[in-house]
Amino acid sequence: MSLKIYINGEYFEKEDAKISVYDHGLLYGDGVFEGIRSYGGKVFRLAEHVDRLWDSAKAIWMEVPMTKEEMIKAVEETLAVNGLKDGYIRLIVTRGVGDLGLDPNKCGTPQVIIIADRIALYPPELYEKGLEIVTVSSPRIHPAALSPRIKSLNYLNNIMAKIEGKQAGCIEALMLNHKGELAECTGDNIFLVRKGRLLTPPIDAGILEGITRNAVMDIAREMGVEVLEIALTKYDAYVADECFLTGSAAEVIAVVKIDGRSVGDGRPGPITRELKDRFQKLTRS
Ligand code: PXG
């Protein structure tokens, strides 16, 4: 069945869902987005994703041309139109159609695009075995240049890191920040477990405040696991007992090797497995 894509309140067949080449989303990566999951017809933390989208837009002086309530309705309608229960939703707001100069004031209304499709997670066997990752030389963009809290359409910083990771034979890459501390992976947040405590870089390390990250920290606290948001280095990653990544697409996935060093005994650890199970239950409840 062909997909129907929402563009500015209308539905188009995937083949006909087209945007102007003068849209500054294409010309400059000028825009913001969200990646969201739905499970059994229920969208996971939709209000939080919409809030983050609005914050991203505000941070780049962009006004989303609808209300949050309208956006929530449009997302649910797009899922329904496509008959999707378990899906992946990509919400995009571009600056709109302008001229060939940078000036965003010359752009018309921002364009709203909603794609509801299926998601290709990491291969299923990797959820059992865990991932191997490497730290890469491209640092996460300095927060004073462009805050990594903004989920902007310009993902080149992450794409460069992804390429470097793939050249090293890894599906995900770990980015450090401008101070050489652990930041995040190219599309996932990172967690370590050390002596029974859960450790993760703080937001001011220059990372995206992941919605999965927040959910997993809540689950850990419910389990009675102490959660620390503290500056971490590669050393902390190398001596960790467990490591895992979180993201809307990835959910919770174990990391078993970092820069060639085995994490713990080289298998997904017990806290990682419990958090993964509990997160799965939460999304499907
Ligand atoms: N950090 C970055 C840089 C991200 O892009 C996350 C963390 C996790 O955030 P959430 O809110 O999803 O828990 C992301 C997630 C993908 C994909 O296909 C993921 C993201 C963006 C685009 C694609 O894995 N963002």
Side-chain angles (χ1 to χ4, degrees), residues 157-282:
N157 180 215
N158 309 51
I159 290 164
M160 292 302 107
K162 181 99 179 173
I163 290 169
E164 221 184 300
K166 293 199 87 169
Q167 284 168 346
C170 291
I171 200 166
E172 238 319 354
L174 176 54
M175 305 175 81
L176 308 177
N177 68 11
H178 54 285
K179 294 188 264 186
E181 299 158 352
L182 306 190
E184 61 186 333
C185 289
T186 67
D188 301 307
N189 291 113
I190 186 161
F191 285 87
L192 304 175
V193 176
R194 170 80 166 167
K195 297 190 198 311
R197 299 195 301 187
L198 190 59
L199 315 172
T200 197
I203 301 305
D204 66 12
I207 61 169
L208 184 76
E209 185 178 356
I211 286 161
T212 319
R213 174 184 180 274
N214 287 343
V216 163
M217 289 197 295
D218 287 344
I219 296 169
R221 291 188 195 102
E222 280 165 26
M223 283 162 56
V225 173
E226 192 183 343
V227 181
L228 289 172
E229 292 177 81
I230 49 164
L232 299 165
T233 63
K234 287 202 276 188
Y235 169 82
D236 297 298
Y238 299 157
V239 302
D241 302 319
E242 300 181 34
C243 176
F244 62 86
L245 311 180
T246 63
S248 297
E251 303 187 321
V252 176
I253 188 161
V255 171
V256 292
K257 218 175 226 193
I258 306 173
D259 292 344
R261 295 153 173 90
S262 286
V263 179
D265 67 0
R267 283 175 303 183
I271 293 180
T272 301
R273 280 188 277 120
E274 174 138 20
L275 286 169
K276 175 174 168 277
D277 290 347
R278 287 184 183 233
F279 180 75
Q280 231 159 40
K281 281 207 188 85
L282 175 70

Side-chain angles (χ1 to χ4, degrees), residues 1 34 49 51 60 83 112 142 187 189 202 221 263 280:
M1 194 195 77
E34 281 295 322
H49 281 282
D51 284 345
I60 68 161
V112 178
H142 196 300
N189 291 113
R221 291 188 195 102
V263 179
Q280 231 159 40

